[in-house]
Amino acid sequence: MDGIQTEATMNGTLHALKSLATHHLLAVVDQLLDAPMPHSQNVVKSFQVIAKDRNLVMGLLQHLTDIINNKALYDEKPNPKDKKLNIREPLPLPMAATCALGEIMQSEELEDVINSHYPQFVGSLLLRIGTANANQPKTIPPPASKPKDKPTIITPSNQIVVSFRQFVERSKDDTLKEALESNNNWARLETNDFPLAIADITAAIAKSHPDQMRGIFEFLFPYLRGNYIPQRTVACSVYAEFLSHSKEDKELLQKLLNCLLTAQADPSIKLVAIRGLGNIVSSGAEQTNRYAQTVIDSLVSSIDDVDEVIAMESMMGLSRVFEVVDEARVAPILVNICLRIRPAFEKANDDIRAASFTLFGTLWRFGQGSAADVFHEQMHYNLPSIVLHVNDDNQKVKEACKVSLRRLGPLFRSDEI
């Protein structure tokens, strides 16, 4: 096709290609995917002419998303600079499929297809953002017809961002566009912070497409236990954020919560799951109290996790829950919680210390009822540490201690305090 010079001949060739695809769709698509990257304009037109045919577009979409979701995506090999670490060598087929998805979405005709199959589109693209992350750049040699040309270097993470930009444009979702243009999210999609960008994307989707949340949940469900850690990370990140937006759908809320609780057994996504459990407070006091015992037990068990980031997220999640939950849910375990928090007061990590003092301060709500006496004892036991760290070297720790003292002050049974 690259040798065709006239528009009439090209149109005739594309028509013949579409006719051939009508009878042998996968064979034609696979041949196009085998073309060198970046795809030539003729290959792009070939994908687009197939996508514009309503009888072929779903077969094309199904094939491309199956490749980037379920086929081999990269090879993990020992890092030549450090044999203890692995590097991800991207495979060409999913790279070509990623590129093709972006190319077919350049056509205006795809708008209706995207909207009618939204979970499949957005779910596949989000999963690919995860699996393309941290892949090594791929060097594409020049075509045989131009041996003197320089090789092309393609980075998979940049490739999927280009395709996702096309999806945002074609879906005409201003809320999603704004979310990606804030918090440096476009750039974060290509870094290890991509789960944070995924969370912002998910929040925007929940706001503009609440009717699609169930469909996206069902689409991503198999990948919560997928073969690739990035797929599990993406699915868990989406579920964690959806928990903040499921107040009106109690059945979905329960499913999301169960998934996050189960996900904690997977060390690779435990942090994301812990971070998401605190979002139960967004469902309101009634639902928070309904699931309080399970959520609190789960978060308390990770307060002293050897991974300090997980420990900190657990304390931050508990702080949010304790602002909402009823006293009866916490009073029986109040002393145990205080004892679990105390060692974190003296941690070297500034963020851990700040989170622990903040968490202790939120317990003031439970110091006036049935647990008043035992909590009064715990306050006096921990008061020296709080006062000492009011003068901590770290400003965040100082502020956390001051806020805690203000909240706990009325419970010391002393007019002077």
Side-chain angles (χ1 to χ4, degrees):
M1 294 176 69
D2 290 337
I4 297 175
Q5 301 294 324
T6 64
E7 184 177 350
T9 305
M10 175 57 69
N11 290 338
T13 303
L14 291 173
H15 180 76
L17 179 77
K18 186 174 72 171
S19 298
L20 182 61
T22 302
H23 302 285
H24 306 284
L25 177 61
L26 298 188
V28 171
V29 173
D30 285 341
Q31 189 66 38
L32 292 172
L33 290 173
D34 199 38
M37 292 179 288
H39 292 154
S40 69
Q41 193 59 37
N42 291 331
V43 173
V44 173
K45 288 180 179 179
S46 298
F47 277 121
Q48 291 175 347
V49 76
I50 295 173
K52 290 176 182 178
D53 189 312
R54 63 181 183 180
N55 296 318
L56 300 177
V57 62
M58 285 313 303
L60 172 62
L61 172 62
Q62 196 69 42
H63 189 50
L64 295 178
T65 55
D66 181 60
I67 290 172
I68 64 173
N69 293 336
N70 304 316
K71 304 299 183 184
L73 302 173
Y74 52 77
D75 287 330
E76 287 198 308
K77 299 179 179 179
N79 189 333
K81 297 180 180 179
D82 187 348
K83 298 297 183 180
K84 296 180 181 179
L85 301 176
N86 288 333
I87 57 174
R88 297 173 182 172
E89 291 284 356
L91 298 177
L93 183 58
M95 290 182 66
T98 302
C99 191
L101 273 173
E103 291 161 357
I104 66 173
M105 286 187 287
Q106 293 174 15
S107 302
E108 294 182 0
E109 290 85 349
L110 262 290
E111 182 178 341
D112 290 340
V113 177
I114 289 174
N115 290 330
S116 59
H117 297 85
Y118 193 85
Q120 183 175 354
F121 264 100
V122 75
S124 297
L125 292 170
L126 292 178
L127 289 171
R128 184 58 182 153
I129 287 171
T131 56
N133 189 268
N135 281 207
Q136 295 294 302
K138 187 78 170 178
T139 301
I140 310 295
S145 59
K146 300 178 180 178
K148 294 184 179 181
D149 285 3
K150 292 183 179 180
T152 302
I153 298 176
I154 299 178
T155 305
S157 59
N158 177 259
Q159 190 185 47
I160 180 56
V161 166
V162 171
S163 292
F164 199 72
R165 281 183 184 275
Q166 196 59 56
F167 167 78
V168 174
E169 284 296 319
R170 189 55 55 220
S171 63
K172 296 181 179 179
D173 189 335
D174 291 336
T175 303
L176 181 56
K177 188 174 183 179
E178 290 174 9
L180 282 157
E181 290 173 351
S182 62
N183 298 328
N184 202 32
N185 278 328
W186 279 120
R188 287 204 293 186
L189 289 177
E190 297 187 59
T191 70
N192 290 334
D193 285 336
F194 76 89
L196 300 178
I198 294 287
D200 285 350
I201 291 170
T202 304
I205 291 171
K207 182 178 179 181
S208 58
H209 299 280
D211 57 315
Q212 301 287 2
M213 288 172 59
R214 279 200 176 213
I216 295 171
F217 170 83
E218 296 294 344
F219 182 84
L220 292 177
F221 185 74
Y223 301 100
L224 192 62
R225 298 180 180 179
N227 293 328
Y228 291 99
I229 291 176
Q231 290 180 330
R232 305 201 293 270
T233 301
V234 168
C236 195
S237 298
V238 172
Y239 288 1
E241 185 58 35
F242 270 173
L243 194 63
S244 293
H245 306 273
S246 300
K247 182 178 181 179
E248 305 301 325
D249 190 339
K250 293 180 174 56
E251 183 180 349
L252 178 60
L253 178 72
Q254 184 173 10
K255 288 181 178 180
L256 291 166
L257 189 59
N258 288 340
C259 286
L260 293 177
L261 291 168
T262 303
Q264 290 182 87
D266 184 345
S268 64
I269 56 174
K270 182 176 181 179
L271 174 60
V272 181
I274 289 288
R275 187 179 287 153
L277 286 175
N279 292 338
I280 187 66
V281 300
S282 298
S283 63
E286 180 183 349
Q287 292 303 311
T288 301
N289 279 293
R290 179 181 179 184
Y291 298 108
Q293 198 63 55
T294 303
V295 172
I296 291 173
D297 288 348
S298 181
L299 291 173
V300 167
S301 68
S302 296
I303 282 181
D304 44 15
D305 196 280
V306 293
D307 186 327
E308 290 190 340
V309 178
I310 289 178
M312 183 182 68
E313 290 291 346
S314 298
M315 287 188 279
M316 292 172 65
L318 282 169
S319 295
R320 297 176 64 193
V321 174
F322 288 161
E323 295 285 3
V324 177
V325 73
D326 291 343
E327 180 202 359
R329 306 289 181 180
V330 180
I333 58 173
L334 187 58
V335 174
N336 178 47
I337 293 172
C338 292
L339 295 175
R340 298 286 288 272
I341 296 172
R342 181 174 172 78
F345 291 165
E346 308 306 327
K347 290 283 189 180
N349 187 310
D350 297 335
D351 291 332
I352 288 284
R353 295 201 308 281
S356 63
F357 286 120
T358 298
L359 176 57
F360 191 77
T362 63
L363 296 176
W364 74 274
R365 296 183 62 242
F366 315 110
Q368 303 176 67
S370 60
D373 290 338
V374 293
F375 187 60
H376 187 259
E377 181 181 337
Q378 289 298 317
M379 283 196 304
H380 279 279
Y381 184 56
N382 290 296
L383 182 60
S385 290
I386 300 175
V387 173
L388 176 65
H389 286 282
V390 165
N391 297 307
D392 196 280
D393 293 335
N394 183 268
Q395 188 62 34
K396 285 168 58 176
V397 178
K398 286 182 181 180
E399 290 300 321
C401 291
K402 290 177 181 178
V403 171
S404 292
L405 282 175
R406 282 196 292 269
R407 304 184 90 177
L408 297 171
L411 303 179
F412 277 103
R413 304 172 185 173
S414 170
D415 292 338
E416 293 180 1
I417 294 179

